Every structure is written in C-alpha cells, then in structure tokens.
Amino acid sequence: MKKLSVPFSRLHTTGNELTYLQQAIESGQIAGDGSFTKRCQSWLKEHFGSQKVLLTNSCTAALEMAAILADIQPGDEVIMPSYTFVSTANAVVLRGGVPVFVDIRPDTLNLDEAQVEAAITSKTKAICPVHYAGVGSEMDEILAIANRYGLTVIEDAAQGSFARYKDKPLGTFGNLSAFSFHATKNIVSGEGGALVINDPEMVERAEIIWEKGTNRSQFFRGEVDKYTWVDVGSSFLPSELTAAFLYSQLEQGEAITQRRLACWNRYHWAFAKLDFEGLVKRPNVPLHCQHNAHIYYLMLDSLETRTQVLAHLKAHGVQATFHYVPLHSSPAGQKFGRTAGNLAVTNDISDRILRLPMSANMTLDEVDQIITLVFEALGARWSVRTMFYQPYQQRKVVQQDRALSRI
Ligand SMILES: *Cc1c(COP(=O)(O)O)cnc(C)c1O
C-alpha cells in the first residue's frame, strides 16, 4: 500500500470563501456586526427558528456569554458531563461557579440523564448537556428535569451543526446553545462560534453583553439616543472576515454534512464485522437522533490496543487520535469542580476510544485504506473488498437455503 497522508481533519472549502472575503474587504467595513455577520445571523436564526443568534469568536466565548446570561454566581453549581472539552467547565468557573461532573451513557457518550436528578442540590443553577459527536443528548428527559427544578439549560452544541434530535435541530432545546466553527468542526471559519438564544427573556441582555456591556445595538436601531455602558460584557463578536468565510460554509452546510455522512457510513459498515466478532465496539446512534458525522470512533478493548492501532496508522501516514482526559481527573477539574456519582463509564471509555480521520473532502478510497489499516492492526483478515461484497454473498446463501428447504 502506498503511504497515505491523511490528517485527522482536513480543511474543506466550498469555493465561495474568497469571493465573500473579497466583498467584505472591498466594502471597507471589516469590524464586527457588519453585513456578513448579519447574513450569518439571520441564516442561523431561520435555520433554528430561534429568538436571536449572535456570532461569537468561538464556542468558548458563546459558553462564557451563556454563563453570564444564566446568572451563574459564586458557588452556583452547573451539571455537566466530565467527558467534555474544558470550555464547558471553564465558562462556569470564570463566574465563580462549580462544575458538577456526572457520568455519561455508554452508548452515546452523552450526559446520562438518569443520573442528573441525583446531582441536583439547592445550589444547582443549570444543566449543560454536550452533544458528543453531533449525536443529540436525551433532551426530552433533561428538559423535564430542568422544568421540575427551575434550572436553565445550556446546550454545548459545539459539535452539533446540522444535526437533529427528534427532527428538531440541536441547539433549539436549551434556553441557550453554543456552537463552534473552529477549524476542527464540521462548519468552519478558523476560529468562530455562535450563541443561539431561545429564551425571549435573555435576548436584550445577550446583545448588551456581546457589545462589551453597552447598548450599542439598541442605539443603531434607533431605540436609544446615545449608547453607554449598561452591564458587564466583553468583545465577543468576530470580525467581518470571519463572518464572510463562515457564510460560504453555512450556505453549503447540508452538502458538507452529506459528504461526511458518506465517509461515516462507509467506516460503520466496514467495521460491522469487527463489532460482531467482539474486537471493537462501534458508535451507537439512537434512531431518534439524526447525527452529522462529526466524529467516527471505535471503542477498543484496552489502552494497549489503542496505542498499537494509533502507531500502525501513524506509520502509514494516517493521523488518528484519542479524546478527552475526563475533566474530573484533571488538575483544574479537581480544584474547581466536584463529582456526582462514580463516573464509571467515563473512567472506562476514555482510555479506549479511538477517533479516525473525518473530513468532508476525504475520498472513499482514503476511507477504505484506513479501514484496511485498522483491520491489519487488529490482526483481522478481512479485506475491505470482501467486506463490501459480503451482503451479496449472504443474500445468495439465504436464497440457496430457501431453495433447499423447498425440496
Ligand atoms: C470544540 C468544542 C468546544 C470549543 O469550541 P471553540 O470554538 O474552539 O471554542 C467546546 N465544547 C465542545 C464539546 C467542543 O467540542
């Protein structure tokens, strides 16, 4: 096999990025909140059917805004999975709040909704589900608990662009939702993100926090006659250059998602054999979750196997990787957070998960070669070619069986 060169994630462009960047530059207005920002925001607002969408510099920034809007005060607790990116927790800690780490479900690696209630105390202010790999958390149950206890729900939908739960886009369930357009995500603008505001009572304050704590947005709409400092805030808005790039990606978001799904499905189909033989476990996507192929992962039997598979892939030019160090086991997590429950699943899976390369512009040939390398590394004999012919052979066997039983 010739040596491959497949990065974990490869930039996919749609073809309109340069055109829009040129338009932004020629307009002479490249600071934030210009025409591309407005186009992205209204595109997203319509996509989500939400009250308001604000572009941010990152999902991290959107989560920080969400923590301010949820009014997290020193000592307030926010329930979240330990198996997530640091930004989910940092946003809370920056307000003096306490992240409360709860275990995940073994099938989707999302917050285990059955363990949320036991983690609630008189200090609990919010629940922050994370849609891992673009597969929706169990929002019906999470929203029911939040309603019962009067808690704010903040979706960390960093990985959730163009994915749905029960036919509604991720990001439309919480009071607030945070998206990422970081270069490693499905829809990208280098760095970038968005805060989706579904709770009408939070819209006005969100605009103020976004504009450094001023009522500048109201001033530009002619609602106040001068603008001034009215609340806390920061510079959360991206420049027009970022928004111009993002707009070209949003326009083709469905196509990007379909291309990723084609790769994901090919991996998934090919690894069925290894799954049936008990060599790996494949991701499980519940039928009511329409995912976006953000991540293709395999669960291996041990850290040793993962190290060996990673090394084999690397030797052939394929960059696979693992994922989060659980936050409850990190130095800052131990300092700032607390755990609820034993986090058995989180502790078990974090050493065994292997993420394979995934990009909208990966060729199916690259996918096939990566599949072959994983088979090799696990000492499995099946070639990709045999895999893809298997269903036809099976069908023939079944037909023969039927024919025989008729005799
Ligand atoms: C990527 C990611 C973030 C951070 O996104 P940025 O845009 O890089 O700030 C936060 N949470 C999760 C779950 C992520 O995957």
Side-chain angles (χ1 to χ4, degrees):
M1 187 190 284
K2 79 172 185 347
K3 189 160 168 173
L4 294 167
S5 173
V6 189
F8 179 67
S9 148
R10 184 194 283 141
L11 176 63
H12 169 82
T13 48
T14 66
N16 287 330
E17 284 85 355
L18 283 174
T19 313
Y20 292 163
L21 277 166
Q22 187 167 2
Q23 285 174 16
I25 294 164
E26 284 173 355
S27 77
Q29 310 284 338
I30 59 164
D33 204 15
S35 78
F36 276 107
T37 300
K38 291 194 168 73
R39 279 158 87 174
C40 288
Q41 289 180 170
S42 53
W43 193 99
L44 288 163
K45 183 171 183 284
E46 191 170 326
H47 174 73
F48 292 119
S50 60
Q51 293 288 323
K52 180 101 197 160
V53 177
L54 294 170
L55 290 193
T56 57
N57 287 310
S58 59
C59 179
T60 303
L63 288 165
E64 286 172 20
M65 284 187 70
I68 299 173
L69 285 163
D71 197 28
I72 305 300
Q73 298 289 328
D76 285 349
E77 295 181 344
V78 179
I79 292 169
M80 64 181 66
S82 167
Y83 197 66
T84 181
F85 190 61
V86 294
S87 299
T88 326
N90 252 329
V92 171
V93 172
L94 282 167
R95 315 298 327 150
V98 179
V100 176
F101 301 121
V102 170
D103 211 356
I104 47 177
R105 295 165 55 110
D107 56 351
T108 58
L109 311 187
N110 282 330
L111 184 65
D112 185 351
E113 68 283 358
Q115 296 194 39
V116 168
E117 201 154 0
I120 295 176
T121 70
S122 60
K123 291 181 182 158
T124 309
K125 200 76 164 264
I127 308 174
C128 195
V130 178
H131 305 303
Y132 187 73
V135 176
S137 305
E138 290 305 327
M139 293 313 297
D140 282 351
E141 286 77 5
I142 291 168
L143 290 177
I145 297 168
N147 284 338
R148 223 174 308 135
Y149 290 88
L151 306 175
T152 303
V153 174
I154 302 167
E155 289 172 71
D156 182 337
Q159 304 177 11
S161 297
F162 290 86
R164 301 164 90 83
Y165 169 83
K166 298 191 177 172
D167 283 329
K168 267 186 76 189
L170 298 185
T172 57
F173 299 92
N175 303 72
L176 299 159
S177 307
F179 282 84
S180 175
F181 306 122
H182 183 265
T184 53
K185 300 300 202 279
N186 289 21
I187 306 297
V188 303
S189 61
E191 303 284 344
L195 180 69
V196 177
I197 301 135
N198 298 316
D199 183 339
E201 285 175 21
M202 294 183 174
V203 171
E204 190 179 322
R205 190 160 185 236
E207 276 185 339
I208 290 168
I209 293 164
W210 189 62
E211 276 284 19
K212 299 113 183 150
T214 71
N215 55 0
R216 187 170 182 274
S217 301
Q218 291 168 328
F219 173 71
F220 278 116
R221 284 196 299 263
E223 294 166 15
V224 291
D225 55 13
K226 56 177 181 285
Y227 90 83
T228 182
W229 185 25
V230 292
D231 200 341
V232 295
S234 189
S235 181
F236 286 113
L237 66 167
S239 94
E240 278 289 285
L241 301 178
T242 300
F245 196 102
L246 179 62
Y247 192 62
S248 74
Q249 295 259 321
L250 288 176
E251 280 184 325
Q252 297 204 21
E254 288 295 348
I256 290 171
T257 308
Q258 290 309 316
R259 295 176 72 121
R260 296 180 72 103
L261 281 166
C263 297
W264 197 101
N265 289 332
R266 201 164 178 96
Y267 275 138
H268 202 58
W269 177 224
F271 292 131
K273 167 97 179 142
L274 296 178
D275 199 337
F276 297 150
E277 287 180 352
L279 283 169
V280 305
K281 249 185 74 52
R282 295 175 303 159
N284 180 58
V285 180
L287 282 176
H288 55 269
C289 295
Q290 296 85 40
H291 74 109
N292 60 6
H294 176 57
I295 296 175
Y296 194 83
Y297 68 83
L298 290 174
M299 209 56 84
L300 303 175
D301 64 352
S302 65
L303 176 60
E304 292 71 46
T305 307
R306 184 175 75 183
T307 308
Q308 176 200 325
V309 177
L310 278 171
H312 187 68
L313 290 171
K314 190 171 171 211
H316 288 84
V318 176
Q319 188 192 14
T321 184
F322 38 84
H323 219 178
Y324 309 124
V325 174
L327 295 182
H328 76 279
S329 66
S330 69
Q334 290 179 351
K335 183 169 169 194
F336 297 119
R338 73 170 178 88
T339 57
N342 63 15
L343 293 127
V345 178
T346 306
N347 289 325
D348 172 42
I349 59 95
S350 55
D351 279 347
R352 302 193 287 118
I353 191 169
L354 171 80
R355 290 187 300 155
L356 295 173
M358 176 62 78
S359 320
N361 56 12
M362 254 170 92
T363 65
L364 293 181
D365 190 46
E366 284 174 323
V367 177
D368 286 350
Q369 297 196 53
I370 295 167
I371 292 166
T372 306
L373 288 168
V374 173
F375 271 73
E376 276 174 23
L378 291 170
R381 276 178 295 114
W382 287 74
S383 75
V384 172
R385 192 147 287 278
T386 334
M387 280 301 310
F388 284 107
Y389 281 107
Q390 197 188 12
Y392 299 97
Q393 290 170 347
Q394 268 175 354
R395 200 186 306 148
K396 227 193 279 166
V397 171
V398 170
Q399 282 165 352
Q400 278 168 358
D401 281 350
R402 286 218 188 99
L404 285 175
S405 66
R406 257 188 264 120
I407 301 173

Coordinates of all heavy atoms in Angstrom, one line a residue, residues 14 39-41 43-44 55 161-162 181 187 245-254 256:
T14 N -15.7 25.6 0.2 CA -16.8 25.4 -0.6 C -16.6 26.1 -2.0 O -17.4 25.8 -2.9 CB -18.1 26.1 0.0 OG1 -17.8 27.5 0.1 CG2 -18.3 25.5 1.4
R39 N -25.9 38.6 7.8 CA -26.3 37.5 6.9 C -26.2 36.1 7.6 O -27.1 35.3 7.5 CB -25.5 37.5 5.6 CG -26.0 38.5 4.6 CD -25.0 38.9 3.6 NE -25.0 38.0 2.4 CZ -24.2 38.2 1.4 NH1 -23.4 39.3 1.3 NH2 -24.2 37.4 0.4
C40 N -25.1 35.9 8.3 CA -24.9 34.6 9.0 C -25.9 34.5 10.1 O -26.6 33.5 10.3 CB -23.5 34.6 9.6 SG -22.2 34.3 8.5
Q41 N -26.1 35.6 10.8 CA -27.1 35.6 12.0 C -28.5 35.3 11.5 O -29.2 34.5 12.1 CB -26.9 36.8 12.8 CG -25.6 36.9 13.6 CD -25.4 38.1 14.5 OE1 -24.5 38.1 15.3 NE2 -26.3 39.1 14.3
W43 N -29.4 33.9 8.7 CA -29.4 32.5 8.2 C -29.6 31.5 9.4 O -30.4 30.6 9.3 CB -28.1 32.2 7.5 CG -28.1 30.9 6.6 CD1 -28.3 30.9 5.3 CD2 -28.0 29.6 7.1 NE1 -28.3 29.5 4.9 CE2 -28.1 28.7 6.0 CE3 -27.8 29.0 8.3 CZ2 -28.0 27.3 6.0 CZ3 -27.7 27.6 8.4 CH2 -27.8 26.8 7.3
L44 N -28.8 31.7 10.4 CA -28.9 30.8 11.5 C -30.2 30.9 12.3 O -30.8 29.9 12.7 CB -27.7 31.0 12.5 CG -26.3 30.6 12.0 CD1 -25.2 31.2 12.8 CD2 -26.2 29.0 12.0
L55 N -23.2 35.8 16.5 CA -21.9 35.2 16.2 C -20.9 35.6 17.3 O -21.0 36.7 17.8 CB -21.3 35.7 14.8 CG -22.0 35.3 13.5 CD1 -21.1 35.6 12.3 CD2 -22.4 33.8 13.5
S161 N -23.6 21.1 14.7 CA -24.1 21.8 13.5 C -24.8 20.8 12.6 O -24.2 19.8 12.3 CB -23.0 22.5 12.7 OG -22.4 23.5 13.5
F162 N -26.0 21.2 12.1 CA -26.8 20.4 11.2 C -27.2 19.0 11.6 O -27.5 18.1 10.8 CB -26.0 20.3 9.8 CG -26.0 21.6 9.1 CD1 -25.0 22.5 9.3 CD2 -27.0 21.9 8.2 CE1 -24.9 23.7 8.7 CE2 -26.9 23.1 7.5 CZ -25.9 24.0 7.8
F181 N -17.4 26.9 15.3 CA -17.0 26.9 13.9 C -15.5 26.8 13.8 O -14.8 27.3 12.9 CB -17.5 28.1 13.1 CG -19.0 28.2 13.2 CD1 -19.6 29.4 13.7 CD2 -19.9 27.2 12.9 CE1 -21.0 29.5 13.9 CE2 -21.3 27.3 13.0 CZ -21.8 28.5 13.5
I187 N -18.6 22.7 10.2 CA -18.7 24.0 9.5 C -17.7 25.0 10.2 O -17.7 25.1 11.4 CB -20.1 24.6 9.8 CG1 -21.2 23.6 9.5 CG2 -20.4 25.9 9.1 CD1 -21.3 23.2 8.0
F245 N -16.2 34.2 5.6 CA -15.8 32.8 5.4 C -16.9 31.9 5.9 O -17.3 31.0 5.2 CB -14.5 32.6 6.2 CG -13.8 31.3 5.8 CD1 -12.6 31.4 5.1 CD2 -14.2 30.1 6.3 CE1 -11.9 30.2 4.7 CE2 -13.5 28.9 5.9 CZ -12.4 29.0 5.1
L246 N -17.4 32.2 7.0 CA -18.5 31.4 7.6 C -19.7 31.3 6.7 O -20.3 30.2 6.6 CB -18.9 31.9 9.0 CG -20.0 31.1 9.7 CD1 -19.5 29.7 10.0 CD2 -20.3 31.8 11.1
Y247 N -20.1 32.4 6.1 CA -21.3 32.4 5.3 C -21.2 31.4 4.2 O -22.2 30.7 3.9 CB -21.6 33.8 4.8 CG -23.0 34.0 4.2 CD1 -24.1 33.8 5.0 CD2 -23.2 34.2 2.9 CE1 -25.4 33.8 4.5 CE2 -24.5 34.3 2.4 CZ -25.6 34.1 3.2 OH -26.8 34.2 2.7
S248 N -20.1 31.3 3.6 CA -19.9 30.4 2.5 C -20.1 28.9 3.0 O -20.6 28.1 2.2 CB -18.6 30.6 1.8 OG -17.5 30.0 2.6
Q249 N -19.7 28.7 4.2 CA -19.8 27.3 4.7 C -21.2 27.0 5.1 O -21.7 25.9 4.9 CB -18.9 27.2 6.0 CG -17.4 27.4 5.6 CD -16.7 26.0 5.6 OE1 -16.9 25.1 6.3 NE2 -15.8 25.9 4.6
L250 N -21.9 28.0 5.7 CA -23.3 27.8 6.1 C -24.2 27.5 4.9 O -25.0 26.5 5.0 CB -23.8 29.0 6.9 CG -23.3 29.3 8.2 CD1 -23.9 30.6 8.8 CD2 -23.6 28.1 9.2
E251 N -23.9 28.2 3.8 CA -24.7 28.0 2.6 C -24.6 26.6 2.1 O -25.6 26.1 1.6 CB -24.2 28.9 1.5 CG -24.7 30.3 1.6 CD -24.2 31.1 0.4 OE1 -23.1 30.9 -0.1 OE2 -24.9 32.0 -0.1
Q252 N -23.5 26.0 2.4 CA -23.3 24.6 1.9 C -23.3 23.6 3.0 O -22.7 22.5 2.8 CB -22.0 24.5 1.0 CG -22.2 25.4 -0.2 CD -21.3 25.0 -1.3 OE1 -20.8 23.9 -1.4 NE2 -21.0 25.9 -2.2
G253 N -23.8 23.9 4.1 CA -23.8 23.1 5.3 C -24.4 21.7 5.1 O -23.9 20.7 5.5
E254 N -25.5 21.7 4.4 CA -26.2 20.4 4.1 C -25.3 19.5 3.3 O -25.1 18.3 3.6 CB -27.5 20.5 3.4 CG -28.6 21.1 4.3 CD -29.0 20.2 5.5 OE1 -28.6 19.0 5.5 OE2 -29.8 20.7 6.4
I256 N -22.0 19.6 3.0 CA -20.8 19.2 3.8 C -21.2 18.1 4.7 O -20.5 17.1 4.8 CB -20.4 20.4 4.6 CG1 -19.7 21.5 3.7 CG2 -19.4 20.0 5.7 CD1 -19.4 22.8 4.4

